[in-house]
Amino acid sequence: MQNMVDALWVAVSGALVFFMQPGFQMVESGLTREKNSINVAIKNLTDIGISLFIYWLIGFALMFGKSAGGILGFTNFIPGAMGNVDFNLCNFLFFQAMFCSTSATIVSGAVAERMKYSSYILSTLLISAVIYPVFGHWAWGGIQPSFVSDGQGWLYKIGFVDFAGSTVVHSVGGYVGLAGIIILGARKGRFPAKNSKEKPREIQGCDIPMTVAGVFILWFGWLGFNGGSTLAFNDIVPQILMNTCIGAATGMLSALFAGWAFTGIPNVNFVINGTLAGLVAITANCHCVTPGAAAIIGTVGGIVMLAACKLLDLLRLDDAVGAIPVHLFAGIWGTLAVGIFGQPELLGTNPILGNQFLAQLIGVLACGIWSFGIAFTGLFILNKIKQLRVSEADEDKGLNIVEHGASTEIFDLYDKMSEQARTGDLSIRLPEEPFTEIGQISHLYNKVMDTLEESSIEKESFGALMKTIPYGMFMLDNDWNIAPQYSAATPRVLGCPNPENYNFLLLMARILSRDKTVALKEFLERLYNPEFKQSALESVNPIKMLEVTMRKTSASDGFETTEKKTIRFEFSRIYNSQHTKILHAVVYANPVNAL
């Protein structure tokens, strides 16, 4: 009966690991732009099909077959090709195949938004057929039950331990993703020109709530990922599950609060990727550490993820969803943590030179040399044969339509608006799909265009309205230039006759100290970043109450005097219809008193 309970636990755990696939799809699609979200989703579905099939054909044999010198296996190819598969063997094969698919899908997020679909298929074949199973044999050849084979990999023999795959699964996928982004290059507009002082541009995902839901699914599936790796429902399972949850929680908290302290903003990506980094870090060691140690491992995992994100930016490497900091760097840390926090009586190893940390370090280095070396070489050669990346024009259009012909309402909307902007033809109307949110936006936009075509009253009314406003009110474009439309009081409040000829920052720099000018520049940069909430911006406005000295010339005798005023500056933002981009900032400048 106990054997059936064990088998049931492994089967259910395998199903939980499979359930992680939609979690990955939701995370990656939500963190990419809408014009590429369908492409990312299709890649996630494709890679599980390819990886499962390839693993059944050859991967399982290379990984767990009878060993050839501890390098690779050579038995159990295509299990069931000539007949039914043994119950226990089939159960173990199913569970392990899920791990191969997990490693393969990590690559999808890293290379998102610029890799051809055909190129991605080739990278999935490479990791599933060669990179993952061969390294898996080195590290895990020996964990399999005796009814599979007696093969042992060379890393297993020197005492290397990676319980559920911080390195075997996650770092392997991370290294392939790293090779991919190096060869592909960054997405268009992600980094400023070299030697520029501008910061890298953060490309906002299209559906963060869906991404957060995906993280919940991954966390849930991870309980099978780690818990099922016991291959038996034994007394260590409850602590494995508890350690897994503690690692996730502390990874999330450390990334949130460290990132918040560093940037001043509780960025949602800190929470998302901090949670995943904690899960990855605890995966290698969840069976051999105490809950207290699990808390430390998860905490460091979150901080390692943040440091890795900063490192990639410095190196100008563009990981679309943060897969490499999460899976590669947190995976390395989690694997090394076995040698720091692992309890010898639970590890049960005889490591090389009696040093568990040395065994872990050798395994980490071997993974990097093998996985990155093969991936970079293979993708480099393939890129020379046929370019792996889409063209710039296709990248602008989005991979949904270019790669799959999967047009969306939002794409049709942009297409028509782009045509209107290009031709100046105000008679062009947007397609109106009834009963959808985009259709309603199109309907309202078309009504506005109808009105603009029929009459110019709106412009006259707008001008009259601006004349009645008793305080300064004007708009800034993305370069902080003052727009020609401003209230009649604006020139008086700002102390310049033609505000539209000025850049707001340069105008204010005339009366601000250097420190205040720098603070205002940082504030304006944040003003145009949708990630920064309005409430957070209000709290860091450096000119909220600004004391200024204004020159005033008497109308009667022409005598010039100075006048001290306190001006209250407030800022609000005008978004696009999708609330993903800030089009203009509206500035209210109201003198509150005269000193």
Side-chain angles (χ1 to χ4, degrees):
M1 181 63 181
Q2 184 64 35
N3 287 335
M4 289 303 295
V5 171
D6 292 344
L8 177 62
W9 173 240
V10 172
V12 170
S13 295
L16 286 173
V17 179
F18 179 87
F19 191 51
M20 293 171 69
Q21 294 297 324
F24 278 115
Q25 180 268 311
M26 293 168 72
V27 168
E28 294 170 12
S29 294
L31 287 176
T32 50
R33 289 169 287 189
E34 189 167 356
K35 65 181 181 179
N36 300 305
S37 60
I38 295 173
N39 171 260
V40 173
I42 291 173
K43 288 194 299 183
N44 274 266
L45 182 58
T46 303
D47 64 42
I48 191 171
I50 292 173
S51 59
L52 281 174
F53 183 64
I54 295 299
Y55 193 78
W56 172 68
L57 283 177
I58 61 174
F60 182 70
L62 293 173
M63 193 163 176
F64 291 111
K66 189 174 179 62
S67 185
I71 303 300
L72 51 83
F74 62 89
T75 59
N76 287 325
F77 287 96
I78 321 179
M82 304 301 292
N84 292 328
V85 184
D86 174 75
F87 170 83
N88 289 316
L89 175 62
C90 192
N91 202 27
F92 182 72
L93 168 60
F94 166 72
F95 182 70
Q96 292 297 331
M98 297 300 108
F99 280 63
C100 178
S101 295
T102 300
S103 188
T105 204
I106 291 167
V107 182
S108 170
V111 301
E113 301 199 304
R114 72 273 204 201
M115 192 178 201
K116 293 177 182 176
Y117 182 61
S118 56
S119 304
Y120 180 71
I121 289 176
L122 293 174
S123 72
T124 302
L125 286 170
L126 183 62
I127 190 173
S128 302
V130 180
I131 298 174
Y132 175 79
V134 171
F135 182 77
H137 183 77
W138 297 356
W140 282 355
I143 69 166
Q144 72 275 12
S146 59
F147 55 76
V148 178
S149 79
D150 61 354
Q152 293 186 353
W154 69 271
L155 282 175
Y156 179 85
K157 292 178 181 178
I158 68 169
F160 175 73
V161 173
D162 184 4
F163 181 69
S166 289
T167 288
V168 175
V169 176
H170 297 281
S171 289
V172 166
Y175 277 120
V176 178
L178 178 61
I181 67 172
I182 291 174
I183 291 171
L184 291 169
R187 289 168 292 174
K188 187 177 178 181
R190 174 69 172 84
F191 294 106
K194 289 186 177 180
N195 301 321
S196 170
K197 294 183 179 179
E198 295 181 28
K199 295 179 181 179
R201 175 192 170 201
E202 294 296 332
I203 299 177
Q204 183 68 31
C206 66
D207 196 342
I208 298 302
M210 182 175 74
T211 297
V212 173
V215 174
F216 276 115
I217 290 175
L218 287 173
W219 190 336
F220 178 63
W222 227 289
L223 300 177
F225 200 87
N226 288 355
S229 293
T230 57
L231 304 179
F233 193 76
N234 54 33
D235 59 358
I236 196 68
V237 168
Q239 185 159 310
I240 288 175
L241 301 181
M242 194 66 243
N243 284 345
T244 299
C245 290
I246 290 173
T250 56
M252 173 182 66
L253 293 173
S254 67
L256 169 61
F257 290 111
W260 194 346
F262 185 73
T263 65
I265 296 293
N267 193 311
V268 66
N269 288 340
F270 300 158
V271 181
I272 291 168
N273 285 338
T275 303
L276 298 179
L279 286 165
V280 171
I282 199 63
T283 293
N285 50 69
C286 55
H287 70 306
C288 65
V289 300
T290 65
I296 297 173
I297 292 168
T299 298
V300 176
I303 294 171
V304 165
M305 180 276 297
L306 291 177
C309 288
K310 186 66 176 176
L311 176 62
L312 291 187
D313 279 352
L314 291 173
L315 296 175
R316 301 173 67 87
L317 296 176
D318 180 20
D319 179 348
V321 303
I324 293 165
V326 166
H327 297 280
L328 173 54
F329 285 88
I332 290 173
W333 156 244
T335 305
L336 295 177
V338 173
I340 301 172
F341 299 100
Q343 301 175 72
E345 65 274 14
L346 294 178
L347 287 171
T349 58
N350 182 24
I352 184 171
L353 302 179
N355 189 323
Q356 188 65 52
F357 186 84
L358 177 60
Q360 300 304 114
L361 181 60
I362 291 173
V364 166
L365 293 174
C367 180
I369 294 169
W370 168 256
S371 301
F372 181 78
I374 296 297
F376 186 84
T377 302
L379 294 176
F380 181 83
I381 293 172
L382 289 171
N383 192 49
K384 290 296 183 182
I385 297 172
K386 187 176 182 181
Q387 193 170 21
L388 301 178
R389 181 173 178 152
V390 299
S391 67
E392 280 195 14
D394 286 349
E395 187 177 347
D396 287 339
K397 292 177 183 177
L399 275 60
N400 293 350
I401 186 71
V402 169
E403 290 283 284
H404 311 288
S407 181
T408 61
E409 282 188 279
I410 194 69
F411 176 82
D412 294 336
L413 182 83
Y414 286 150
D415 187 49
K416 282 295 182 183
M417 291 182 75
S418 298
E419 181 184 354
Q420 190 180 69
R422 185 176 64 255
T423 63
D425 183 0
L426 298 183
S427 67
I428 294 174
R429 294 295 180 265
L430 306 181
E432 296 183 21
E433 184 70 26
F435 313 117
T436 66
E437 189 174 316
I438 298 300
Q440 292 173 11
I441 293 172
S442 297
H443 177 69
L444 291 174
Y445 181 85
N446 288 340
K447 288 182 68 175
V448 171
M449 297 309 298
D450 289 340
T451 306
L452 286 175
E453 271 198 306
E454 292 170 1
S455 173
S456 62
I457 293 177
E458 286 76 7
K459 291 183 179 179
E460 296 174 4
S461 299
F462 179 74
L465 174 65
M466 295 299 276
K467 289 180 181 179
T468 66
I469 297 174
Y471 52 84
M473 188 176 82
F474 52 94
M475 292 191 299
L476 305 179
D477 63 18
N478 290 345
D479 296 319
W480 315 326
N481 296 315
I482 299 175
Q485 300 81 15
Y486 48 81
S487 69
T490 296
R492 174 174 53 81
V493 174
L494 294 183
C496 60
N498 298 299
E500 69 272 19
N501 295 330
Y502 289 88
N503 178 279
F504 181 66
L505 179 63
L506 297 179
L507 180 64
M508 299 305 294
R510 297 179 176 184
I511 58 174
L512 295 177
S513 66
R514 179 176 177 80
D515 290 345
K516 277 265 189 180
T517 302
V518 172
L520 178 60
K521 181 176 183 295
E522 293 177 352
F523 172 78
L524 292 173
E525 289 172 347
R526 293 182 176 184
L527 186 64
Y528 279 87
N529 187 340
E531 291 186 5
F532 291 90
K533 303 301 180 187
Q534 185 70 34
S535 58
L537 283 168
E538 291 172 359
S539 65
V540 295
N541 179 359
I543 57 172
K544 190 170 185 177
M545 298 293 287
L546 181 65
E547 293 185 4
V548 297
T549 301
M550 311 285 289
R551 290 187 177 88
K552 187 177 180 180
T553 303
S554 172
S556 58
D557 56 15
F559 186 71
E560 187 178 86
T561 60
T562 59
E563 181 182 18
K564 290 185 178 181
K565 289 184 177 181
T566 298
I567 302 177
R568 181 183 182 89
F569 283 91
E570 297 182 33
F571 298 80
S572 62
R573 304 189 280 192
I574 299 175
Y575 289 83
N576 64 350
S577 56
Q578 290 74 42
H579 217 71
T580 57
K581 182 180 179 182
I582 296 163
L583 304 177
H584 288 87
V586 180
V587 185
Y588 307 91
N590 190 13
V592 294
N593 67 327
L595 300 179

